[in-house]
Each structure stands twice: as structure tokens, then as C-alpha cells.
Amino acid sequence: MKEFRTGGSVFRAVDEIDLTIPRGEIVALLGPNGAGKTTTLDMVVGLTNPTDGDVQVFGEAPRRAVRAGRVSAVLQSGGLLRDLSVRETVTLIASTFQNALPVAEAMERANITSIANRKVSKCSGGEQQRLRFALALLPDPDLLVLDEPTAGMDVTARADFWKTMRQDARDGRTIVFATHYLEEADAFAQRIVMMAGGHIVADGTTAEIRATATGRRVQAFVDPNSAADVVRALETMPEVRAVTSDAGRLVVTTTDSDAVARALLTDLGAHDLEISTGSMDDAFRVLTEGAER
């Protein structure tokens, strides 16, 4: 738990979350502004301490894990000297670690070799973020914590970044990132942890999060002349939440897509059936707005 005092009141930014992350997993931390994402990450990397409770990283205090080079972070801002070049910055930070990655390797993996001689002050926001990524790679950490890691990056840089992250996870590195890009979390995370009001409101794979929040959608086609009868039959099923019909095209929201699919195909004469989950945007709205209320 993490509390902040503002005036005479106490604001609880993170409230009794319990989270265990195994090695080699890519986890996205999602939530609206003020949900507690950044505060949670700050506690993981030792920038702030919990008011109550305990945070352990690899079985030890976060700051000790950071000093040992087992944890590294890419934050949204700060930490760059504007008058140094990109290469000078990486070289300087590498000198603070006993067994740092070679400077050239860190720069190549962060895709900043081509701007090595550019002053930090002349780098774009996306280029500075890639520089921060190179600095985070220097201790070759077991856990990489990322707060809005691709902010300011163009489409190509973002794709290259996540290609590197996937390879790192395959090699055993654990990656935890907070982002406002829901499509990014949907595409790259193996697990979604959704926060609202300082609490964890959902935790699972992207498919599980979408299905839990919005149910599954079954689309199928029937003879338009019999569509009304099919709709009435579907509405009697306890698994069905809602049915819409338009010129023989049915869209069914359900908690059990298998049962609905069987009924449509075997009993109700449907064809061209498709099953899908709701979007991550839908799930985000349902889960976070419900928790805040």
C-alpha cells in the first residue's frame, strides 16, 4: 500500500495489491490516469517505499536488486545530460557498472548506432527514449521495468523495440511495462494486469481479459425469413446476454460461445459462423469504469 498526504486528506495511490510475476514473462500494466501504475513501478525499482506492506524483487529489497544490476528501468523523463553525445552518454553510464554490456552492443540493440555522435539536446523524444532503453540494457538486467517505453517513437522504431523485447523474454528476461497504447499491450504482452483506483481489477491473458469483461461474440447468418424465430430461440438460452439481427446477420453476445455455436449450427440452421472476443478498448472501459464507480 502507498499513501500520499495532500493538505488534510490522505490519498491512497496503491491499495493492497498482490502480484507475482514469473521469469521471462512480458506483463502490461494498464489503467487510467491515477490508477497507481507509475507508483507501483516506482516501488518495484526502489524510487519510493510502500507506506504499508512489502516489495521484493528476486527475494530482496528493490534498491539492492537495482544496485546489483538485476533490475533496470526505462522511465518517461529525466536522467539525460543534454550536452553529451549519445555515445558519450552510454559510455559514461556503462562505466558505473562492474560488468556492463559493451557500449556498441547496447547501442545496436536500442537502434541508436546511427545517431551515436548526435548531442542529446538534438535528439527527438523518441530517440531520447531509445537512448534510455540502451542505458537500461547496460547491466544486462533480469527484470526490465518500462514506463510508457515507446512514447515518441515512430511506427518503425516501435516495431524494432518490441522485436528486441520479445527476444529478451525468450532469453529469460522479465519485462513489465505500463502503457496507454492499448493496442500495444494487446499485441505484445503475454499477460495483462489492469489497475483502477489503486487496485488490480483484472489479471490474465489478453483473450481472458477481453472475454471476462465483454463476453464472447458469435456472428452467424440465417435465412432472413426465419431470423426472428432464431432470435427468440437464442434469447431463451441462459448463456446469451444479447442478440442483434440485421437482414439475416446475427451477432450474439454470450458467456458460452461453444453452446451458442452448437445451437446455431445444429438446431437453428446457421452458417458462416465466427467467434471473437470484445476489443481491448471495450474491456478497458468496462473494467476500469466499473471499478472506479
Side-chain angles (χ1 to χ4, degrees):
M1 180 173 68
K2 179 65 178 180
E3 294 180 339
F4 295 97
R5 185 169 297 277
T6 57
S9 61
V10 174
F11 170 66
R12 187 169 292 177
V14 178
D15 190 6
E16 297 184 6
I17 69 171
D18 186 359
L19 188 62
T20 301
I21 299 172
R23 183 180 179 89
E25 193 167 54
I26 302 177
V27 180
L29 195 60
L30 304 182
N33 291 332
K37 306 184 301 297
T38 296
T39 302
T40 298
L41 297 184
D42 283 349
M43 288 190 287
V44 171
V45 299
L47 293 178
T48 188
N49 296 317
T51 309
D52 186 29
D54 184 46
V55 180
Q56 287 194 338
V57 184
F58 303 114
E60 57 187 359
R63 290 182 184 177
R64 182 174 297 176
V66 170
R67 285 195 297 268
R70 301 198 68 189
V71 181
S72 197
V74 178
L75 304 179
Q76 294 185 60
S77 61
L80 298 178
L81 299 175
R82 296 173 57 82
D83 293 334
L84 295 183
S85 71
V86 168
R87 180 182 286 110
E88 288 170 341
T89 301
V90 180
T91 302
L92 174 64
I93 301 303
S95 69
T96 66
F97 296 106
Q98 186 173 4
N99 296 301
L101 285 180
V103 168
E105 180 180 344
M107 292 178 61
E108 182 179 356
R109 292 179 63 186
N111 195 24
I112 57 173
T113 303
S114 62
I115 59 171
N117 296 322
R118 187 177 301 172
K119 295 288 187 183
V120 171
S121 60
K122 300 297 183 181
C123 293
S124 68
E127 289 168 342
Q128 290 187 18
Q129 196 69 342
R130 281 151 51 198
L131 172 56
R132 294 186 183 96
F133 176 44
L135 301 181
L137 291 176
L138 287 171
D140 197 18
D142 297 313
L143 169 63
L144 192 55
V145 177
L146 314 168
D147 192 7
E148 301 292 345
T150 60
M153 292 186 190
D154 60 30
V155 174
T156 301
R158 190 175 296 171
D160 289 342
F161 173 85
W162 284 113
K163 181 179 179 181
T164 301
M165 289 297 92
R166 281 174 163 164
Q167 184 57 55
D168 282 3
R170 284 193 289 269
D171 292 340
R173 178 170 290 151
T174 304
I175 298 160
V176 179
F177 71 99
T179 182
H180 283 97
Y181 298 119
L182 299 185
E183 70 279 7
E184 191 168 76
D186 200 2
F188 299 110
Q190 298 164 336
R191 176 181 170 191
I192 301 286
V193 176
M194 202 168 289
M195 295 186 67
H199 298 276
I200 292 176
V201 297
D203 184 352
T205 66
T206 54
E208 289 170 344
I209 296 295
R210 291 196 301 264
T212 298
T214 62
R216 291 185 179 273
R217 291 184 180 136
V218 180
Q219 175 181 288
F221 291 85
V222 296
D223 184 340
N225 296 321
S226 63
D229 292 334
V230 173
V231 169
R232 283 192 290 271
L234 289 169
E235 289 176 339
T236 65
M237 298 178 64
E239 302 89 354
V240 172
R241 292 180 178 176
V243 186
T244 62
S245 174
D246 181 19
R249 176 179 176 269
L250 302 176
V251 178
V252 186
T253 304
T254 176
T255 58
D256 188 342
S257 56
D258 291 340
V260 170
R262 281 194 297 270
L264 283 168
L265 293 175
T266 60
D267 302 327
L268 301 175
H271 59 91
D272 294 335
L273 185 142
E274 295 181 5
I275 299 175
S276 63
T277 58
S279 69
M280 186 58 68
D281 285 3
D282 294 335
F284 183 88
R285 285 192 295 270
V286 169
L287 291 167
T288 60
E289 290 175 4
E292 288 176 340
R293 285 195 296 270

PDB file of all heavy atoms in Angstrom, residues 1-6 9-17 34-36 39 43 51-52 195-199:
ATOM      1  N   MET A   1       0.847  -1.187   0.000  1.00  0.00           N
ATOM      2  CA  MET A   1       0.000   0.000   0.000  1.00  0.00           C
ATOM      3  C   MET A   1       0.882   1.236   0.000  1.00  0.00           C
ATOM      4  O   MET A   1       1.914   1.275   0.659  1.00  0.00           O
ATOM      5  CB  MET A   1      -0.913   0.002   1.238  1.00  0.00           C
ATOM      6  CG  MET A   1      -1.847   1.201   1.328  1.00  0.00           C
ATOM      7  SD  MET A   1      -3.017   1.035   2.692  1.00  0.00           S
ATOM      8  CE  MET A   1      -1.902   1.178   4.093  1.00  0.00           C
ATOM      9  N   LYS A   2       0.458   2.273  -0.776  1.00  0.00           N
ATOM     10  CA  LYS A   2       1.199   3.521  -0.824  1.00  0.00           C
ATOM     11  C   LYS A   2       0.217   4.681  -0.692  1.00  0.00           C
ATOM     12  O   LYS A   2      -0.721   4.803  -1.487  1.00  0.00           O
ATOM     13  CB  LYS A   2       1.976   3.651  -2.133  1.00  0.00           C
ATOM     14  CG  LYS A   2       2.769   4.958  -2.244  1.00  0.00           C
ATOM     15  CD  LYS A   2       3.872   5.064  -1.208  1.00  0.00           C
ATOM     16  CE  LYS A   2       4.672   6.338  -1.356  1.00  0.00           C
ATOM     17  NZ  LYS A   2       5.741   6.460  -0.360  1.00  0.00           N
ATOM     18  N   GLU A   3       0.433   5.513   0.342  1.00  0.00           N
ATOM     19  CA  GLU A   3      -0.434   6.656   0.595  1.00  0.00           C
ATOM     20  C   GLU A   3       0.336   7.955   0.411  1.00  0.00           C
ATOM     21  O   GLU A   3       1.535   8.038   0.684  1.00  0.00           O
ATOM     22  CB  GLU A   3      -1.006   6.606   2.021  1.00  0.00           C
ATOM     23  CG  GLU A   3      -1.957   5.442   2.260  1.00  0.00           C
ATOM     24  CD  GLU A   3      -2.491   5.435   3.674  1.00  0.00           C
ATOM     25  OE1 GLU A   3      -1.846   6.049   4.555  1.00  0.00           O
ATOM     26  OE2 GLU A   3      -3.536   4.812   3.894  1.00  0.00           O
ATOM     27  N   PHE A   4      -0.373   9.009  -0.041  1.00  0.00           N
ATOM     28  CA  PHE A   4       0.182  10.351  -0.129  1.00  0.00           C
ATOM     29  C   PHE A   4      -0.749  11.297   0.625  1.00  0.00           C
ATOM     30  O   PHE A   4      -1.971  11.172   0.540  1.00  0.00           O
ATOM     31  CB  PHE A   4       0.300  10.812  -1.591  1.00  0.00           C
ATOM     32  CG  PHE A   4       1.269  10.009  -2.399  1.00  0.00           C
ATOM     33  CD1 PHE A   4       0.839   8.966  -3.202  1.00  0.00           C
ATOM     34  CD2 PHE A   4       2.623  10.293  -2.363  1.00  0.00           C
ATOM     35  CE1 PHE A   4       1.728   8.216  -3.951  1.00  0.00           C
ATOM     36  CE2 PHE A   4       3.524   9.559  -3.115  1.00  0.00           C
ATOM     37  CZ  PHE A   4       3.080   8.519  -3.911  1.00  0.00           C
ATOM     38  N   ARG A   5      -0.166  12.234   1.350  1.00  0.00           N
ATOM     39  CA  ARG A   5      -0.971  13.222   2.080  1.00  0.00           C
ATOM     40  C   ARG A   5      -1.005  14.523   1.286  1.00  0.00           C
ATOM     41  O   ARG A   5       0.017  15.072   0.908  1.00  0.00           O
ATOM     42  CB  ARG A   5      -0.375  13.468   3.468  1.00  0.00           C
ATOM     43  CG  ARG A   5      -1.215  14.379   4.345  1.00  0.00           C
ATOM     44  CD  ARG A   5      -0.708  14.367   5.773  1.00  0.00           C
ATOM     45  NE  ARG A   5      -0.830  13.044   6.381  1.00  0.00           N
ATOM     46  CZ  ARG A   5      -1.949  12.581   6.940  1.00  0.00           C
ATOM     47  NH1 ARG A   5      -3.038  13.341   6.948  1.00  0.00           N
ATOM     48  NH2 ARG A   5      -1.976  11.389   7.466  1.00  0.00           N
ATOM     49  N   THR A   6      -2.206  15.006   0.998  1.00  0.00           N
ATOM     50  CA  THR A   6      -2.398  16.269   0.291  1.00  0.00           C
ATOM     51  C   THR A   6      -3.283  17.151   1.147  1.00  0.00           C
ATOM     52  O   THR A   6      -4.477  16.869   1.322  1.00  0.00           O
ATOM     53  CB  THR A   6      -3.059  16.043  -1.079  1.00  0.00           C
ATOM     54  OG1 THR A   6      -4.296  15.351  -0.896  1.00  0.00           O
ATOM     55  CG2 THR A   6      -2.159  15.226  -1.982  1.00  0.00           C
ATOM     56  N   SER A   9      -5.980  15.688   3.769  1.00  0.00           N
ATOM     57  CA  SER A   9      -6.527  14.391   3.386  1.00  0.00           C
ATOM     58  C   SER A   9      -5.426  13.432   2.958  1.00  0.00           C
ATOM     59  O   SER A   9      -4.310  13.840   2.645  1.00  0.00           O
ATOM     60  CB  SER A   9      -7.541  14.549   2.250  1.00  0.00           C
ATOM     61  OG  SER A   9      -6.908  15.100   1.118  1.00  0.00           O
ATOM     62  N   VAL A  10      -5.744  12.142   2.955  1.00  0.00           N
ATOM     63  CA  VAL A  10      -4.794  11.104   2.562  1.00  0.00           C
ATOM     64  C   VAL A  10      -5.292  10.453   1.281  1.00  0.00           C
ATOM     65  O   VAL A  10      -6.449  10.018   1.207  1.00  0.00           O
ATOM     66  CB  VAL A  10      -4.623  10.052   3.669  1.00  0.00           C
ATOM     67  CG1 VAL A  10      -3.753   8.904   3.170  1.00  0.00           C
ATOM     68  CG2 VAL A  10      -4.010  10.684   4.907  1.00  0.00           C
ATOM     69  N   PHE A  11      -4.425  10.415   0.289  1.00  0.00           N
ATOM     70  CA  PHE A  11      -4.757   9.777  -0.986  1.00  0.00           C
ATOM     71  C   PHE A  11      -4.010   8.449  -1.071  1.00  0.00           C
ATOM     72  O   PHE A  11      -2.789   8.413  -0.964  1.00  0.00           O
ATOM     73  CB  PHE A  11      -4.354  10.677  -2.150  1.00  0.00           C
ATOM     74  CG  PHE A  11      -4.440  10.013  -3.493  1.00  0.00           C
ATOM     75  CD1 PHE A  11      -5.654   9.623  -4.017  1.00  0.00           C
ATOM     76  CD2 PHE A  11      -3.290   9.760  -4.234  1.00  0.00           C
ATOM     77  CE1 PHE A  11      -5.740   9.015  -5.255  1.00  0.00           C
ATOM     78  CE2 PHE A  11      -3.356   9.151  -5.464  1.00  0.00           C
ATOM     79  CZ  PHE A  11      -4.588   8.778  -5.975  1.00  0.00           C
ATOM     80  N   ARG A  12      -4.738   7.375  -1.232  1.00  0.00           N
ATOM     81  CA  ARG A  12      -4.132   6.038  -1.320  1.00  0.00           C
ATOM     82  C   ARG A  12      -3.941   5.690  -2.791  1.00  0.00           C
ATOM     83  O   ARG A  12      -4.874   5.316  -3.495  1.00  0.00           O
ATOM     84  CB  ARG A  12      -5.036   5.023  -0.619  1.00  0.00           C
ATOM     85  CG  ARG A  12      -4.432   3.639  -0.508  1.00  0.00           C
ATOM     86  CD  ARG A  12      -5.233   2.755   0.426  1.00  0.00           C
ATOM     87  NE  ARG A  12      -5.144   3.220   1.813  1.00  0.00           N
ATOM     88  CZ  ARG A  12      -5.805   2.647   2.828  1.00  0.00           C
ATOM     89  NH1 ARG A  12      -6.592   1.612   2.601  1.00  0.00           N
ATOM     90  NH2 ARG A  12      -5.675   3.115   4.041  1.00  0.00           N
ATOM     91  N   ALA A  13      -2.700   5.823  -3.259  1.00  0.00           N
ATOM     92  CA  ALA A  13      -2.401   5.625  -4.680  1.00  0.00           C
ATOM     93  C   ALA A  13      -2.404   4.149  -5.067  1.00  0.00           C
ATOM     94  O   ALA A  13      -2.808   3.787  -6.165  1.00  0.00           O
ATOM     95  CB  ALA A  13      -1.051   6.247  -5.022  1.00  0.00           C
ATOM     96  N   VAL A  14      -1.910   3.300  -4.177  1.00  0.00           N
ATOM     97  CA  VAL A  14      -1.872   1.852  -4.410  1.00  0.00           C
ATOM     98  C   VAL A  14      -2.400   1.182  -3.156  1.00  0.00           C
ATOM     99  O   VAL A  14      -1.927   1.453  -2.056  1.00  0.00           O
ATOM    100  CB  VAL A  14      -0.433   1.363  -4.721  1.00  0.00           C
ATOM    101  CG1 VAL A  14      -0.413  -0.142  -4.898  1.00  0.00           C
ATOM    102  CG2 VAL A  14       0.114   2.051  -5.961  1.00  0.00           C
ATOM    103  N   ASP A  15      -3.392   0.324  -3.321  1.00  0.00           N
ATOM    104  CA  ASP A  15      -4.104  -0.206  -2.161  1.00  0.00           C
ATOM    105  C   ASP A  15      -4.069  -1.732  -2.149  1.00  0.00           C
ATOM    106  O   ASP A  15      -4.860  -2.389  -2.824  1.00  0.00           O
ATOM    107  CB  ASP A  15      -5.552   0.287  -2.182  1.00  0.00           C
ATOM    108  CG  ASP A  15      -6.293  -0.011  -0.884  1.00  0.00           C
ATOM    109  OD1 ASP A  15      -5.655  -0.495   0.062  1.00  0.00           O
ATOM    110  OD2 ASP A  15      -7.508   0.240  -0.827  1.00  0.00           O
ATOM    111  N   GLU A  16      -3.104  -2.274  -1.416  1.00  0.00           N
ATOM    112  CA  GLU A  16      -3.049  -3.714  -1.118  1.00  0.00           C
ATOM    113  C   GLU A  16      -3.086  -4.582  -2.369  1.00  0.00           C
ATOM    114  O   GLU A  16      -3.911  -5.485  -2.498  1.00  0.00           O
ATOM    115  CB  GLU A  16      -4.197  -4.099  -0.184  1.00  0.00           C
ATOM    116  CG  GLU A  16      -4.121  -3.416   1.179  1.00  0.00           C
ATOM    117  CD  GLU A  16      -5.201  -3.866   2.140  1.00  0.00           C
ATOM    118  OE1 GLU A  16      -5.955  -4.796   1.787  1.00  0.00           O
ATOM    119  OE2 GLU A  16      -5.288  -3.303   3.232  1.00  0.00           O
ATOM    120  N   ILE A  17      -2.191  -4.328  -3.307  1.00  0.00           N
ATOM    121  CA  ILE A  17      -2.106  -5.207  -4.466  1.00  0.00           C
ATOM    122  C   ILE A  17      -1.176  -6.374  -4.150  1.00  0.00           C
ATOM    123  O   ILE A  17      -0.247  -6.251  -3.364  1.00  0.00           O
ATOM    124  CB  ILE A  17      -1.634  -4.458  -5.723  1.00  0.00           C
ATOM    125  CG1 ILE A  17      -0.166  -4.037  -5.602  1.00  0.00           C
ATOM    126  CG2 ILE A  17      -2.508  -3.250  -6.011  1.00  0.00           C
ATOM    127  CD1 ILE A  17       0.394  -3.493  -6.898  1.00  0.00           C
ATOM    128  N   GLY A  34      -3.959   8.026 -12.816  1.00  0.00           N
ATOM    129  CA  GLY A  34      -4.268   7.961 -11.393  1.00  0.00           C
ATOM    130  C   GLY A  34      -4.603   6.581 -10.886  1.00  0.00           C
ATOM    131  O   GLY A  34      -4.971   6.416  -9.718  1.00  0.00           O
ATOM    132  N   ALA A  35      -4.442   5.558 -11.739  1.00  0.00           N
ATOM    133  CA  ALA A  35      -4.785   4.195 -11.318  1.00  0.00           C
ATOM    134  C   ALA A  35      -3.760   3.606 -10.361  1.00  0.00           C
ATOM    135  O   ALA A  35      -4.058   2.655  -9.639  1.00  0.00           O
ATOM    136  CB  ALA A  35      -4.921   3.289 -12.545  1.00  0.00           C
ATOM    137  N   GLY A  36      -2.534   4.150 -10.355  1.00  0.00           N
ATOM    138  CA  GLY A  36      -1.487   3.618  -9.485  1.00  0.00           C
ATOM    139  C   GLY A  36      -0.387   2.896 -10.218  1.00  0.00           C
ATOM    140  O   GLY A  36       0.508   2.311  -9.591  1.00  0.00           O
ATOM    141  N   THR A  39       3.189   4.613  -9.683  1.00  0.00           N
ATOM    142  CA  THR A  39       3.575   4.436  -8.273  1.00  0.00           C
ATOM    143  C   THR A  39       4.003   2.996  -8.017  1.00  0.00           C
ATOM    144  O   THR A  39       4.987   2.741  -7.313  1.00  0.00           O
ATOM    145  CB  THR A  39       2.414   4.814  -7.342  1.00  0.00           C
ATOM    146  OG1 THR A  39       2.035   6.171  -7.589  1.00  0.00           O
ATOM    147  CG2 THR A  39       2.819   4.663  -5.884  1.00  0.00           C
ATOM    148  N   MET A  43       7.814   1.748  -6.882  1.00  0.00           N
ATOM    149  CA  MET A  43       8.134   0.901  -5.731  1.00  0.00           C
ATOM    150  C   MET A  43       8.963  -0.302  -6.144  1.00  0.00           C
ATOM    151  O   MET A  43       9.868  -0.719  -5.417  1.00  0.00           O
ATOM    152  CB  MET A  43       6.841   0.460  -5.023  1.00  0.00           C
ATOM    153  CG  MET A  43       6.148   1.588  -4.263  1.00  0.00           C
ATOM    154  SD  MET A  43       4.799   1.024  -3.185  1.00  0.00           S
ATOM    155  CE  MET A  43       3.547   0.608  -4.401  1.00  0.00           C
ATOM    156  N   THR A  51       3.907   2.570   1.995  1.00  0.00           N
ATOM    157  CA  THR A  51       3.516   3.031   3.324  1.00  0.00           C
ATOM    158  C   THR A  51       3.287   1.840   4.240  1.00  0.00           C
ATOM    159  O   THR A  51       3.607   1.876   5.431  1.00  0.00           O
ATOM    160  CB  THR A  51       2.228   3.872   3.229  1.00  0.00           C
ATOM    161  OG1 THR A  51       2.406   4.876   2.224  1.00  0.00           O
ATOM    162  CG2 THR A  51       1.925   4.550   4.555  1.00  0.00           C
ATOM    163  N   ASP A  52       2.740   0.788   3.676  1.00  0.00           N
ATOM    164  CA  ASP A  52       2.484  -0.433   4.421  1.00  0.00           C
ATOM    165  C   ASP A  52       2.664  -1.604   3.472  1.00  0.00           C
ATOM    166  O   ASP A  52       2.373  -1.499   2.285  1.00  0.00           O
ATOM    167  CB  ASP A  52       1.060  -0.412   4.994  1.00  0.00           C
ATOM    168  CG  ASP A  52       0.784  -1.593   5.906  1.00  0.00           C
ATOM    169  OD1 ASP A  52       1.743  -2.094   6.520  1.00  0.00           O
ATOM    170  OD2 ASP A  52      -0.375  -2.024   6.005  1.00  0.00           O
ATOM    171  N   MET A 195      -5.296  -1.997 -13.651  1.00  0.00           N
ATOM    172  CA  MET A 195      -5.478  -1.321 -12.367  1.00  0.00           C
ATOM    173  C   MET A 195      -6.495  -0.196 -12.491  1.00  0.00           C
ATOM    174  O   MET A 195      -6.638   0.429 -13.541  1.00  0.00           O
ATOM    175  CB  MET A 195      -4.151  -0.745 -11.865  1.00  0.00           C
ATOM    176  CG  MET A 195      -3.099  -1.771 -11.548  1.00  0.00           C
ATOM    177  SD  MET A 195      -1.612  -1.009 -10.798  1.00  0.00           S
ATOM    178  CE  MET A 195      -2.274  -0.442  -9.210  1.00  0.00           C
ATOM    179  N   ALA A 196      -7.187   0.078 -11.395  1.00  0.00           N
ATOM    180  CA  ALA A 196      -8.098   1.225 -11.296  1.00  0.00           C
ATOM    181  C   ALA A 196      -8.247   1.551  -9.826  1.00  0.00           C
ATOM    182  O   ALA A 196      -8.440   0.648  -8.998  1.00  0.00           O
ATOM    183  CB  ALA A 196      -9.456   0.916 -11.919  1.00  0.00           C
ATOM    184  N   GLY A 197      -8.137   2.833  -9.497  1.00  0.00           N
ATOM    185  CA  GLY A 197      -8.310   3.245  -8.112  1.00  0.00           C
ATOM    186  C   GLY A 197      -7.325   2.625  -7.144  1.00  0.00           C
ATOM    187  O   GLY A 197      -7.639   2.436  -5.972  1.00  0.00           O
ATOM    188  N   GLY A 198      -6.114   2.299  -7.631  1.00  0.00           N
ATOM    189  CA  GLY A 198      -5.105   1.705  -6.757  1.00  0.00           C
ATOM    190  C   GLY A 198      -5.238   0.214  -6.567  1.00  0.00           C
ATOM    191  O   GLY A 198      -4.439  -0.392  -5.848  1.00  0.00           O
ATOM    192  N   HIS A 199      -6.222  -0.409  -7.207  1.00  0.00           N
ATOM    193  CA  HIS A 199      -6.453  -1.853  -7.072  1.00  0.00           C
ATOM    194  C   HIS A 199      -6.182  -2.563  -8.398  1.00  0.00           C
ATOM    195  O   HIS A 199      -6.279  -1.964  -9.468  1.00  0.00           O
ATOM    196  CB  HIS A 199      -7.910  -2.138  -6.674  1.00  0.00           C
ATOM    197  CG  HIS A 199      -8.322  -1.584  -5.356  1.00  0.00           C
ATOM    198  ND1 HIS A 199      -8.085  -2.227  -4.172  1.00  0.00           N
ATOM    199  CD2 HIS A 199      -8.943  -0.418  -5.044  1.00  0.00           C
ATOM    200  CE1 HIS A 199      -8.562  -1.492  -3.172  1.00  0.00           C
ATOM    201  NE2 HIS A 199      -9.083  -0.397  -3.673  1.00  0.00           N
TER     202      HIS A 199
END
